[in-house]
Amino acid sequence: MKILCLSNGHGEDAIALRILRELQQHPHPPELAVFPLVGEGQAFAQLENARIIGPVQRMPSGGFIYMDGREFLRDVKGGLLQLTVAQFKAIRAWVRSQKKSGNQDGVILACGDIVPLLFAWLSGAPYAFVGTAKSEYYLRDEEGPLASQSSPWGWGSWSRSVYLPWERWLMTRKLCRAVFVRDTLTAETLEKLGIPAYNLGNPMMDGLEPENPASFYGPDAEFRERSRSLVITLLPGSRAPEAYANWQLIVEAVAGILSLFADRKLLFFGAISPELNLESLRPILEFFGWRQEGDTRTQRREGSILRLPVSSAQEIQKASPNLLLPLTFVQRNATMILTQQSFNDCLSEADLAVAMAGTATEQFVGLGKPAIAIPGNGPQFTPAFAEAQSRLLGPSLILVKHPAEVAGAVQSLLRDPDRLQLIAENGWRRLGQSGAAARIAECLIQRFGGESSNS
């Protein structure tokens, strides 16, 4: 079996990569090719023996043209239309080459939204679709339709699903063998509309196990829990320059938390994308009174590392000797650690998050934890995006209008254990359990393996 995977975005590339890696682990792995339709597909460099079959190009919008008409025009001026035509020709050429091989037809795995789905159908090859972006939770929950629907999701009231009629038409074609969706609610809705939908979980929740599992529990666990710091992870997003503007709003929110929780130890983990410059985050921290605790060499020598917030560097070093951090800042009763590594630990060790991100926010919520979001200026994390994300994640995402409101939202959460339990259950239900990529890969082998061997 030969598979060509189409994807259209950074997050979609990451999800596709997880599935393709699982396919390569199969006893009879398929031959893989990839085609990132948005960006340069750098994630696929991690995949052995999988070539990119056609032209790739980074566009000015970074893939967010559906959020802003101006971004679309910028991409058109940057060569979007010519690139799209060239990409479609490359896909058709790949399919023709598989048919000429005589005994095997190619299979298309479309990962993302309607663009790769449409290309898969136009290719003339059998295909499967991984719907990474859409969920019925944008329109309804288990209790029924949501009270109001704002753009871009308001049309769902007449389309019977978050997937529009033309998208569903592509999913019901004879060559479409499987549609993998994010959650049970979406799968059930599409099944009622005659679509071969599978709910095998959400691959974005795979691989989030902490690198250094908590080892502080012991006979004095209850005492440590009462005396430990409140741990808050900060997620400013991954794309510059937007992430730097988001960081300013987040640090402003942190200032409010410091004032409200002046009598409690606080630990903030800044989970910073490797694509960002840590030094660019320093000025806003210093403006709000944070000072760096020694230089990087001193921190490494003393073993100041990302770990659960216990009282001494020696305890931390014993628990997790491998997690060394580049930047640590202090202010009054609080410590802030900025790291471009140990993303999983930043998620797993936190009590809650202040988040202005896409996928990272969903992953945090999927671990059963609350996130507080502040709308930014975009191009990604706009008020419209934040409102849509709050629909997707339900009670797990608390949306505030201004950084000054974050501290009160934190206090309200901590005073309501029943609400925290509801948030945990909601996150697990909406995002699913880990292992989805392996389940999807196995289903692909079952759906297409025999078909290809008999062709």
Side-chain angles (χ1 to χ4, degrees), residues 130-434:
V130 182
T132 62
K134 289 192 174 183
S135 167
E136 290 301 314
Y137 282 112
Y138 282 117
L139 306 180
R140 58 183 61 84
D141 58 21
E142 288 78 7
E143 302 300 320
L146 300 180
S148 61
Q149 295 163 11
S150 62
S151 178
W153 310 110
W155 34 252
S157 58
W158 56 263
S159 74
R160 301 171 63 194
S161 167
V162 71
Y163 284 102
L164 291 169
W166 43 91
E167 294 173 308
R168 302 201 303 267
W169 186 86
L170 293 170
M171 297 178 197
T172 56
R173 299 307 87 197
K174 183 178 179 180
L175 288 174
C176 183
R177 305 291 198 263
V179 174
F180 303 103
V181 295
R182 295 172 52 111
D183 49 66
T184 301
L185 188 64
T186 307
E188 291 175 347
T189 300
L190 294 184
E191 285 173 357
K192 292 175 183 177
L193 297 171
I195 292 168
Y198 293 81
N199 173 35
L200 301 181
N202 192 333
M204 74 168 60
M205 296 308 299
D206 291 357
L208 294 180
E209 295 78 12
E211 299 170 18
N212 297 270
S215 56
F216 68 100
Y217 288 109
D220 59 348
E222 184 176 352
F223 169 77
R224 293 197 181 198
E225 177 65 20
R226 289 197 306 268
S227 62
R228 73 176 180 86
S229 301
L230 174 65
V231 189
I232 300 175
T233 286
L234 311 176
L235 301 170
S238 60
R239 287 176 171 83
E242 178 181 4
Y244 299 125
N246 292 347
W247 181 247
Q248 179 164 343
L249 294 175
I250 287 173
V251 175
E252 185 178 343
V254 166
I257 296 172
L258 291 177
S259 297
L260 190 59
F261 292 87
D263 58 346
R264 182 166 183 179
K265 289 187 296 181
L266 300 169
L267 177 59
F268 298 94
F269 291 154
I272 309 303
S273 168
E275 298 179 14
L276 301 178
N277 183 352
L278 281 184
E279 286 300 319
S280 297
L281 306 180
R282 181 193 299 273
I284 188 63
L285 287 173
E286 293 177 344
F287 178 83
F288 277 91
W290 293 89
R291 65 184 188 279
Q292 188 171 355
E293 188 178 55
D295 61 21
T296 300
R297 290 169 297 176
T298 302
Q299 291 173 42
R300 290 182 181 274
R301 185 168 62 250
E302 294 177 352
S304 176
I305 57 177
L306 175 56
R307 206 42 245 141
L308 275 166
V310 291
S311 58
S312 70
Q314 290 83 3
E315 287 181 86
I316 296 174
Q317 183 67 35
K318 283 182 187 176
S320 307
N322 298 320
L323 280 176
L324 301 176
L325 296 178
L327 293 178
T328 300
F329 294 84
V330 294
Q331 181 178 176
R332 290 183 289 176
N333 57 319
T335 300
M336 181 180 293
I337 298 173
L338 306 186
T339 177
Q340 293 175 299
Q341 305 173 22
S342 307
F343 174 74
N344 292 7
D345 294 273
C346 287
L347 299 191
S348 67
E349 309 297 2
D351 298 298
L352 55 97
V354 180
M356 299 181 69
T359 298
T361 303
E362 295 178 34
Q363 290 172 318
F364 188 85
V365 163
L367 295 176
K369 302 180 182 187
I372 302 170
I374 315 161
N377 294 319
Q380 180 189 19
F381 208 79
T382 61
F385 182 97
E387 193 273 342
Q389 190 180 59
S390 71
R391 292 179 172 279
L392 174 66
L393 301 178
S396 296
L397 185 69
I398 296 92
L399 193 59
V400 301
K401 294 181 178 180
H402 191 273
E405 300 174 30
V406 171
V410 172
Q411 186 178 62
S412 177
L413 281 169
L414 297 180
R415 288 176 173 176
D416 194 344
D418 291 339
R419 183 183 178 192
L420 290 173
Q421 180 61 31
L422 182 149
I423 284 171
E425 294 170 356
N426 175 74
W428 299 328
R429 181 174 62 254
R430 295 195 184 212
L431 277 299
Q433 300 299 311
S434 63

Side-chain angles (χ1 to χ4, degrees), residues 4-6 37 87-88 91-96 99 106-111 113-130 165-179 448:
L4 170 61
C5 179
L6 311 179
L37 304 176
Q87 289 177 333
F88 175 65
I91 294 168
R92 290 298 298 267
W94 183 87
V95 172
R96 285 195 300 269
K99 292 182 177 179
V107 173
I108 305 290
L109 176 63
C111 187
D113 57 24
I114 192 172
V115 175
L117 177 60
L118 177 62
F119 277 12
W121 173 67
L122 291 173
S123 75
Y127 60 94
F129 175 57
V130 182
W166 43 91
E167 294 173 308
R168 302 201 303 267
W169 186 86
L170 293 170
M171 297 178 197
T172 56
R173 299 307 87 197
K174 183 178 179 180
L175 288 174
C176 183
R177 305 291 198 263
V179 174
F448 293 103

